[in-house]
Amino acid sequence: MTIDNSVQLEGRINAHRRLLVELVSVVAAIPEARAALVSMARDSETVSDHEEDPGIEPDAAFAAQQIADDEIRAILKAAMARLETRT
């Protein structure tokens, strides 16, 4: 049975995400690191305030950056939740 590339890619990404969430939760136990992670969750790398106007329909670069910002926040939220269950 062969598994197509998209399934392999999805499996690897899921494994990386699980590992990253665990590592971030361990790092977040350090107060200074936790403050930096909370700050990172509040920040956004997506342009705002018309710094670069994407027009009526943002192009793929804007969409990809928004997806990345959303994923960073989701990973940080999951890591903080995991840390809270340990304490």
Side-chain angles (χ1 to χ4, degrees):
M1 177 176 162
T2 62
I3 300 174
D4 74 2
N5 288 339
S6 63
V7 173
Q8 287 184 4
L9 182 59
E10 183 177 354
R12 288 178 182 196
I13 289 171
N14 287 337
H16 291 140
R17 189 180 193 287
R18 287 175 48 207
L19 179 61
L20 188 56
V21 166
E22 182 62 28
L23 290 171
V24 171
S25 71
V26 170
V27 170
I30 303 166
E32 296 83 8
R34 183 181 178 109
L37 292 169
V38 168
S39 175
M40 184 179 191
R42 274 188 256 124
D43 293 342
S44 174
E45 293 189 18
T46 304
V47 295
S48 59
D49 300 330
H50 306 291
E51 293 170 356
E52 291 184 29
D53 187 357
I56 294 174
E57 291 188 31
D59 65 9
F62 283 95
Q65 188 58 57
Q66 183 61 53
I67 291 167
D69 281 349
D70 293 345
E71 184 63 11
I72 289 170
R73 285 190 188 91
I75 289 169
L76 291 171
K77 182 178 177 181
M80 295 302 179
R82 184 171 291 184
L83 177 63
E84 293 300 319
T85 62
R86 284 193 203 127
T87 56

